[in-house]
Amino acid sequence: MRRRIVAANWKMNGSQELAKSLVGDVRKGIAALDNEAEVVIIPPALYVASVQQLLDGVAQVGVQNIAAWESGAYTGEISGKMAADVGCGYAVVGHSERRQLFGESDAVIAEKVGQGIAAGVQIILCVGETLTQREAGLAVEVVSAQLREALKDVSGEQWKQVVVAYEPVWAIGTGKTATSEDAQAVHQAMRSQLSEMGAPAQDMTLLYGGSVKPDNAKELFAQPDIDGGLIGGASLKASDFLAICKAI
Ligand code: PGA
């Protein structure tokens, strides 16, 4: 079954103070939501426990990254198992900032996907093309290759633990959004690619991310293959984030 998900990616923003005020407001809004949106808050890992406490069960919590290994001498890393252990239902894997700033390859991302699945969390796998790749007409090709490589070891029931977020790199934090038609076209192509890989593509949840705001969310979420969003900047303002949740 396709779920409609709106996930807040706080990135490396926030403080205990912000968590308190933001989550306080968001919690009230989520409790009053009258649509089918499943809301996930993904703060920096240090704030997971306080966000969970503040949410008091009205939304799920996730982490922004997990390690490619299960445990051991990997200073600074957090495992999928640890995320699951503290009650995180979701882990973002392969965000373009991880790919670009931390040199994460598709091979590493595939390992992380495996770790998250083994730990029992839902993976939000991010894929997306750069501006140069889009201008060269390579968007679908790039995204399809990322899906093939990152999800190469996923099979059978494990597909139920995979959510994909299409995030064109040129649209992240730039104020430029893909048009709803362009985003829909890539989402449709992703479903075909996933289906070719043996995934139950029609039942999978595919999110769009990249400068989603209250004024463009409705049109994006109305596309037949866009099931929700991964929200960066706008998730740091309760009223904007809640307006986006309502747009489902
Ligand atoms: P943005 O970020 O909404 O600020 O563009 C989205 C993301 O990177 O997940």
Side-chain angles (χ1 to χ4, degrees), residues 48-103:
V48 159
S50 34
V51 169
Q52 279 169 325
Q53 201 178 11
L54 291 160
L55 279 171
D56 199 20
V58 304
Q60 299 242 33
V61 177
V63 287
Q64 299 173 10
N65 177 40
I66 52 172
W69 310 277
E70 189 181 327
S71 65
Y74 304 103
T75 302
E77 292 287 283
I78 291 169
S79 70
K81 244 178 149 176
M82 291 169 183
D85 187 36
V86 300
C88 285
Y90 287 82
V92 174
V93 171
H95 191 280
S96 64
E97 286 149 20
R98 302 290 320 171
R99 293 177 190 259
Q100 293 191 325
L101 303 172
F102 302 92

Coordinates of all heavy atoms in Angstrom, one line a residue, residues 48-103:
V48 N 17.1 13.4 18.8 CA 16.1 12.4 18.6 C 15.3 12.2 19.8 O 14.0 12.2 19.8 CB 16.7 11.1 18.0 CG1 15.8 9.9 18.3 CG2 17.0 11.2 16.5
A49 N 15.9 12.0 20.9 CA 15.2 11.6 22.2 C 14.3 12.8 22.6 O 13.1 12.5 23.0 CB 16.2 11.3 23.3
S50 N 14.8 14.0 22.6 CA 13.9 15.1 23.0 C 12.8 15.3 22.1 O 11.6 15.6 22.5 CB 14.7 16.4 23.3 OG 15.7 16.6 22.5
V51 N 13.0 15.1 20.8 CA 11.9 15.3 19.8 C 10.9 14.2 20.0 O 9.7 14.5 20.0 CB 12.5 15.3 18.3 CG1 11.3 15.2 17.3 CG2 13.3 16.6 18.1
Q52 N 11.3 13.0 20.2 CA 10.4 11.9 20.5 C 9.5 12.2 21.7 O 8.3 12.0 21.7 CB 11.1 10.6 20.8 CG 11.6 9.9 19.5 CD 12.5 8.8 19.9 OE1 13.3 8.8 20.8 NE2 12.5 7.7 19.1
Q53 N 10.1 12.7 22.7 CA 9.4 13.0 24.0 C 8.4 14.2 23.7 O 7.2 14.1 24.1 CB 10.4 13.5 25.0 CG 9.8 13.3 26.4 CD 10.9 13.7 27.5 OE1 11.9 14.2 27.1 NE2 10.6 13.4 28.7
L54 N 8.8 15.2 23.0 CA 8.0 16.3 22.7 C 6.8 15.9 21.8 O 5.7 16.4 21.9 CB 8.8 17.4 22.0 CG 9.8 18.1 22.9 CD1 10.8 18.9 22.1 CD2 9.1 19.1 23.9
L55 N 7.1 15.0 20.8 CA 6.0 14.6 19.9 C 4.9 13.8 20.6 O 3.8 13.7 20.1 CB 6.6 13.8 18.7 CG 7.2 14.6 17.6 CD1 8.0 13.7 16.7 CD2 6.2 15.5 16.9
D56 N 5.4 13.0 21.6 CA 4.4 12.2 22.4 C 3.6 11.3 21.5 O 2.4 11.2 21.6 CB 3.5 13.2 23.2 CG 2.8 12.4 24.3 OD1 3.3 11.4 24.7 OD2 1.7 12.9 24.8
G57 N 4.3 10.7 20.5 CA 3.6 9.7 19.7 C 2.8 10.2 18.5 O 2.3 9.4 17.7
V58 N 2.7 11.5 18.3 CA 1.9 11.9 17.1 C 2.5 11.8 15.8 O 1.9 11.8 14.7 CB 1.3 13.4 17.3 CG1 0.5 13.6 18.6 CG2 2.4 14.4 17.1
A59 N 3.9 11.7 15.8 CA 4.6 11.5 14.5 C 5.8 10.6 14.8 O 6.3 10.4 15.9 CB 5.0 12.8 14.0
Q60 N 6.3 10.0 13.7 CA 7.5 9.2 13.8 C 8.7 10.1 13.8 O 8.7 11.2 13.3 CB 7.6 8.3 12.5 CG 6.4 7.4 12.4 CD 6.8 5.9 12.5 OE1 7.8 5.6 13.2 NE2 6.1 5.1 11.8
V61 N 9.8 9.5 14.2 CA 11.1 10.2 14.2 C 12.1 9.4 13.4 O 12.0 8.1 13.4 CB 11.6 10.4 15.7 CG1 12.9 11.1 15.7 CG2 10.6 11.3 16.4
G62 N 13.1 10.1 12.7 CA 14.1 9.4 12.0 C 15.4 10.0 12.1 O 15.6 11.0 12.8
V63 N 16.4 9.4 11.5 CA 17.8 9.9 11.5 C 18.2 10.3 10.1 O 17.6 9.7 9.1 CB 18.8 8.9 12.1 CG1 18.7 8.9 13.6 CG2 18.8 7.6 11.5
Q64 N 19.1 11.2 9.9 CA 19.5 11.7 8.6 C 20.5 10.9 7.9 O 20.8 11.1 6.7 CB 20.1 13.1 8.8 CG 19.1 14.1 9.4 CD 19.6 15.4 9.8 OE1 20.8 15.7 9.4 NE2 18.9 16.2 10.5
N65 N 21.1 9.9 8.6 CA 22.2 9.1 8.0 C 22.4 7.9 8.9 O 22.2 8.0 10.1 CB 23.5 10.0 7.9 CG 24.7 9.3 7.4 OD1 24.6 8.4 6.5 ND2 25.8 9.5 8.0
I66 N 22.9 6.8 8.4 CA 23.4 5.7 9.2 C 24.7 5.2 8.6 O 25.0 5.5 7.4 CB 22.3 4.5 9.3 CG1 21.9 4.1 7.9 CG2 21.2 4.9 10.2 CD1 21.0 2.8 7.9
A67 N 25.4 4.4 9.4 CA 26.7 3.9 8.9 C 26.5 2.7 8.0 O 25.4 2.1 7.9 CB 27.5 3.4 10.1
A68 N 27.6 2.4 7.2 CA 27.6 1.3 6.3 C 27.9 0.0 7.0 O 28.1 -1.0 6.4 CB 28.5 1.6 5.2
W69 N 28.1 0.1 8.3 CA 28.5 -1.1 9.1 C 27.6 -1.3 10.3 O 26.9 -0.3 10.7 CB 29.9 -0.9 9.7 CG 30.9 -0.5 8.6 CD1 31.6 -1.3 7.7 CD2 31.3 0.8 8.3 NE1 32.4 -0.6 6.9 CE2 32.3 0.8 7.2 CE3 31.0 2.1 8.8 CZ2 32.9 1.9 6.7 CZ3 31.6 3.2 8.3 CH2 32.5 3.1 7.2
E70 N 27.6 -2.5 10.8 CA 26.7 -2.8 11.9 C 27.1 -2.2 13.3 O 26.3 -1.7 14.0 CB 26.5 -4.3 12.0 CG 25.4 -4.7 12.9 CD 25.2 -6.2 13.0 OE1 25.4 -6.9 12.1 OE2 24.8 -6.6 14.2
S71 N 28.4 -2.4 13.6 CA 29.0 -1.8 14.8 C 30.5 -1.9 14.7 O 31.0 -2.5 13.8 CB 28.5 -2.7 16.0 OG 29.0 -4.0 15.9
G72 N 31.2 -1.3 15.7 CA 32.6 -1.4 15.7 C 33.4 -0.1 15.8 O 32.8 0.9 16.2
A73 N 34.6 -0.1 15.4 CA 35.5 1.0 15.5 C 35.3 2.0 14.4 O 36.1 2.0 13.4 CB 37.0 0.5 15.6
Y74 N 34.2 2.7 14.4 CA 33.9 3.7 13.4 C 33.5 5.0 14.1 O 32.3 5.4 14.1 CB 32.7 3.2 12.5 CG 33.0 1.9 11.9 CD1 32.5 0.7 12.4 CD2 33.9 1.8 10.8 CE1 32.8 -0.5 11.8 CE2 34.2 0.6 10.2 CZ 33.7 -0.6 10.7 OH 34.0 -1.8 10.2
T75 N 34.5 5.7 14.7 CA 34.3 6.8 15.5 C 33.4 7.9 14.8 O 33.7 8.2 13.6 CB 35.6 7.5 15.8 OG1 36.4 6.5 16.5 CG2 35.5 8.7 16.7
G76 N 32.4 8.3 15.5 CA 31.5 9.4 14.9 C 30.3 8.8 14.2 O 29.4 9.6 13.9
E77 N 30.3 7.5 14.0 CA 29.1 7.0 13.2 C 28.0 6.5 14.1 O 28.2 6.2 15.3 CB 29.6 5.8 12.3 CG 30.6 6.2 11.2 CD 29.9 6.9 10.1 OE1 29.2 6.3 9.3 OE2 30.0 8.2 10.0
I78 N 26.8 6.4 13.5 CA 25.6 5.9 14.2 C 25.1 4.8 13.3 O 24.9 4.9 12.1 CB 24.6 7.0 14.3 CG1 25.1 8.1 15.3 CG2 23.2 6.5 14.8 CD1 24.3 9.3 15.2
S79 N 24.8 3.6 13.9 CA 24.3 2.5 13.1 C 22.8 2.5 12.9 O 22.0 3.1 13.7 CB 24.7 1.2 13.7 OG 24.0 0.9 14.9
G80 N 22.3 1.8 11.9 CA 20.9 1.5 11.7 C 20.3 0.9 12.9 O 19.2 1.2 13.4
K81 N 21.0 -0.1 13.5 CA 20.6 -0.8 14.7 C 20.3 0.2 15.9 O 19.4 0.0 16.6 CB 21.7 -1.8 15.1 CG 21.3 -3.2 15.0 CD 22.5 -4.1 15.4 CE 22.1 -5.4 16.0 NZ 23.2 -6.2 16.3
M82 N 21.2 1.1 16.0 CA 21.1 2.1 17.1 C 19.8 3.0 16.9 O 19.1 3.3 17.8 CB 22.3 3.0 17.2 CG 23.5 2.3 17.7 SD 25.0 3.4 17.5 CE 26.2 2.2 18.0
A83 N 19.7 3.4 15.6 CA 18.5 4.2 15.3 C 17.2 3.4 15.7 O 16.3 3.9 16.3 CB 18.5 4.5 13.8
A84 N 17.2 2.1 15.3 CA 16.0 1.3 15.6 C 15.9 1.1 17.1 O 14.8 1.2 17.7 CB 16.1 -0.1 14.9
D85 N 17.0 0.9 17.8 CA 17.1 0.7 19.2 C 16.4 1.9 20.0 O 15.8 1.7 21.0 CB 18.5 0.6 19.7 CG 18.7 0.2 21.1 OD1 17.8 -0.6 21.6 OD2 19.7 0.6 21.8
V86 N 16.6 3.1 19.5 CA 16.0 4.2 20.2 C 14.6 4.6 19.7 O 14.1 5.7 19.9 CB 16.9 5.5 20.3 CG1 18.2 5.2 21.0 CG2 17.2 6.0 18.9
G87 N 14.1 3.7 18.8 CA 12.7 3.9 18.3 C 12.6 4.8 17.1 O 11.5 5.3 16.8
C88 N 13.6 5.0 16.3 CA 13.5 5.7 15.1 C 12.9 4.7 14.0 O 13.4 3.6 13.9 CB 14.8 6.2 14.6 SG 15.5 7.6 15.5
G89 N 11.9 5.2 13.3 CA 11.3 4.3 12.3 C 11.9 4.5 11.0 O 11.7 3.7 10.1
Y90 N 12.6 5.6 10.8 CA 13.1 6.0 9.5 C 14.6 6.4 9.5 O 15.1 6.9 10.5 CB 12.3 7.2 8.9 CG 10.9 6.8 8.5 CD1 9.9 6.7 9.4 CD2 10.6 6.5 7.1 CE1 8.6 6.4 9.0 CE2 9.4 6.2 6.7 CZ 8.3 6.1 7.6 OH 7.1 5.8 7.2
A91 N 15.3 6.1 8.4 CA 16.6 6.6 8.2 C 16.8 7.1 6.8 O 16.5 6.4 5.8 CB 17.6 5.5 8.5
V92 N 17.2 8.4 6.6 CA 17.5 8.9 5.3 C 18.9 8.3 4.9 O 19.8 8.3 5.7 CB 17.6 10.4 5.4 CG1 18.1 11.0 4.0 CG2 16.3 11.0 5.7
V93 N 19.0 7.9 3.7 CA 20.2 7.4 3.1 C 20.5 8.0 1.8 O 19.6 8.1 1.0 CB 20.2 5.8 3.0 CG1 21.4 5.3 2.3 CG2 20.1 5.2 4.4
G94 N 21.8 8.4 1.5 CA 22.1 8.8 0.2 C 21.7 10.2 -0.1 O 21.5 10.6 -1.3
H95 N 21.5 11.1 0.9 CA 21.1 12.5 0.6 C 22.2 13.1 -0.3 O 23.4 12.8 -0.1 CB 20.9 13.3 1.9 CG 20.3 14.6 1.7 ND1 21.0 15.7 1.2 CD2 19.0 15.0 1.8 CE1 20.2 16.7 1.1 NE2 19.0 16.4 1.4
S96 N 21.8 14.0 -1.2 CA 22.9 14.6 -2.1 C 24.0 15.3 -1.3 O 25.1 15.4 -1.8 CB 22.2 15.5 -3.1 OG 21.6 16.6 -2.5
E97 N 23.6 15.8 -0.1 CA 24.7 16.5 0.6 C 25.7 15.5 1.1 O 26.9 15.7 1.2 CB 24.1 17.3 1.8 CG 23.4 18.6 1.3 CD 22.2 19.0 2.1 OE1 22.0 18.6 3.2 OE2 21.4 19.8 1.5
R98 N 25.2 14.3 1.5 CA 26.2 13.2 1.9 C 27.0 12.7 0.6 O 28.2 12.5 0.8 CB 25.4 12.0 2.4 CG 24.5 12.2 3.6 CD 25.2 12.5 4.9 NE 26.4 11.7 5.1 CZ 27.2 12.0 6.1 NH1 27.0 13.0 7.0 NH2 28.3 11.2 6.3
R99 N 26.3 12.7 -0.5 CA 27.0 12.2 -1.7 C 28.1 13.2 -2.1 O 29.3 12.9 -2.4 CB 26.1 12.1 -2.9 CG 25.0 10.9 -2.7 CD 24.1 10.9 -3.9 NE 22.9 10.0 -3.7 CZ 22.8 8.8 -4.3 NH1 23.8 8.4 -5.1 NH2 21.7 8.1 -4.1
Q100 N 27.7 14.5 -2.1 CA 28.6 15.6 -2.5 C 29.7 16.0 -1.5 O 30.9 16.1 -1.8 CB 27.9 16.8 -2.9 CG 27.0 16.6 -4.2 CD 26.4 17.8 -4.7 OE1 26.1 18.8 -4.0 NE2 26.3 17.9 -6.1
L101 N 29.3 16.2 -0.2 CA 30.2 16.7 0.7 C 31.0 15.6 1.5 O 32.1 15.9 2.0 CB 29.5 17.6 1.8 CG 28.6 18.7 1.2 CD1 27.8 19.3 2.3 CD2 29.6 19.8 0.6
F102 N 30.5 14.4 1.5 CA 31.2 13.4 2.2 C 31.6 12.2 1.3 O 32.0 11.1 1.8 CB 30.3 12.9 3.4 CG 29.9 14.0 4.3 CD1 28.7 14.7 4.2 CD2 30.7 14.3 5.4 CE1 28.4 15.7 5.0 CE2 30.4 15.3 6.2 CZ 29.2 16.0 6.1
G103 N 31.5 12.4 0.0 CA 31.9 11.5 -1.0 C 31.3 10.1 -0.9 O 31.9 9.1 -1.3

